[in-house]
Amino acid sequence: MVKKHLRYVVEQKDRYGNVRLYFWKRPGPRIRLHGTFGSEDFMKQYGRCLAEATGAIAPRALEAAGGRHLIRPGSFRALCVSWFSSAEFRTSLNERTQYVRRRIIEQMLQEPVKPDAALLFADVPVAKFTSKAVRVLRDRKADTPEAANTRVKALRAVFAWAIEAGEAETNPARDIPYLRNGSDGFHTWSIDEVRQFFAHHSVGTKANLALSLLLFTG
């Protein structure tokens, strides 16, 4: 059955016995998909319906971008759109987190695999989305380690769900470490600095008591 290959695509025979294909995400309407299954025109129609139904891509952005939002079966984009529409995504994350995760992932989808490459990460087959790809996406944000780490976190979540849903066999982001933020931590006071503090905050003050407790009681 076709519906096993593309989510929400169902077959229905008309009164003459001809098989028609429809996009149907309950409780929404059934939308006729024209053309040959799997063709570029067919997939554009499917991608538009899926993006609008799940909210993965804003309809206006989809129209403006044309073929760039073509959803190819088995691709990283197809996986992400499925995740966005999953019960786990919609129920385990609050609205703010959902919004942030979408923004992070949509940005990664639109990036080329290499600076001058025509291939986008969106179109990379899930089976070929390796830990190397995760490192590339992480390291492009190396100047802002927190942003780099949110990419890794988002990718871990996508593939963790994908394994549970039978959409992927491995999680390429699982063992990719977060980047350090470059901070050396808090400055450790020297003995002279402690003496200066006590000289300024005499015995009996709250500041003196607080530091004494930290120093002598651990």
Side-chain angles (χ1 to χ4, degrees):
M1 294 290 288
V2 172
K3 63 182 180 181
K4 291 183 179 179
H5 300 286
L6 286 177
R7 197 172 192 181
Y8 306 125
V9 175
V10 297
E11 294 178 341
Q12 184 174 339
K13 290 184 178 180
D14 63 17
R15 59 181 178 175
Y16 302 108
N18 299 312
V19 176
R20 307 295 188 188
L21 298 179
Y22 294 85
F23 179 92
W24 189 18
K25 183 178 184 297
R26 295 181 177 88
R30 276 180 291 190
I31 302 172
R32 173 77 184 279
L33 298 173
H34 299 275
T36 304
F37 174 78
S39 66
E40 182 172 343
D41 183 59
F42 181 93
M43 293 307 298
K44 283 182 180 179
Q45 296 173 62
Y46 172 73
R48 183 175 293 107
C49 290
L50 186 60
E52 291 184 9
T54 62
I57 303 171
R60 290 183 182 178
L62 188 68
E63 293 290 343
R68 285 187 297 160
H69 284 314
L70 174 66
I71 299 177
R72 305 180 190 281
S75 67
F76 181 52
R77 184 192 297 283
L79 177 66
C80 292
V81 170
S82 294
W83 184 51
F84 292 151
S85 64
S86 70
E88 289 82 356
F89 181 83
R90 291 182 284 108
T91 60
S92 64
L93 302 175
N94 60 44
E95 290 186 5
R96 174 61 184 172
T97 303
Q98 289 181 37
Y99 172 78
V100 172
R101 287 284 172 86
R102 285 181 190 273
R103 291 290 300 272
I104 293 169
I105 290 173
E106 286 171 7
Q107 184 181 50
M108 290 190 285
L109 290 174
Q110 296 170 21
E111 292 186 16
V113 295
K114 294 181 180 179
D116 298 323
L119 179 65
L120 302 181
F121 276 107
D123 298 322
V124 173
V126 171
K128 294 184 178 180
F129 200 101
T130 64
S131 58
K132 181 179 179 180
V134 178
R135 285 182 179 274
V136 168
L137 288 166
R138 181 199 66 180
D139 293 349
R140 286 180 180 176
K141 293 290 185 179
D143 290 340
T144 51
E146 289 187 4
N149 294 338
T150 58
R151 285 189 162 196
V152 176
K153 187 174 183 178
L155 290 170
R156 286 179 182 176
V158 172
F159 281 96
W161 169 82
I163 292 173
E164 292 290 331
E167 301 285 348
E169 295 183 359
T170 60
N171 188 335
R174 185 189 62 185
D175 298 323
I176 302 300
Y178 292 137
L179 296 181
R180 296 185 61 184
N181 62 15
S183 171
D184 293 327
F186 294 103
H187 169 65
T188 301
W189 281 9
S190 66
I191 296 298
D192 287 339
E193 288 173 321
V194 173
R195 287 173 177 166
Q196 290 175 24
F197 182 89
F198 280 135
H200 183 74
H201 299 282
S202 59
V203 175
T205 62
K206 290 183 178 180
N208 183 290
L209 175 61
L211 184 58
S212 296
L213 289 172
L214 287 173
L215 289 174
F216 304 121
T217 66

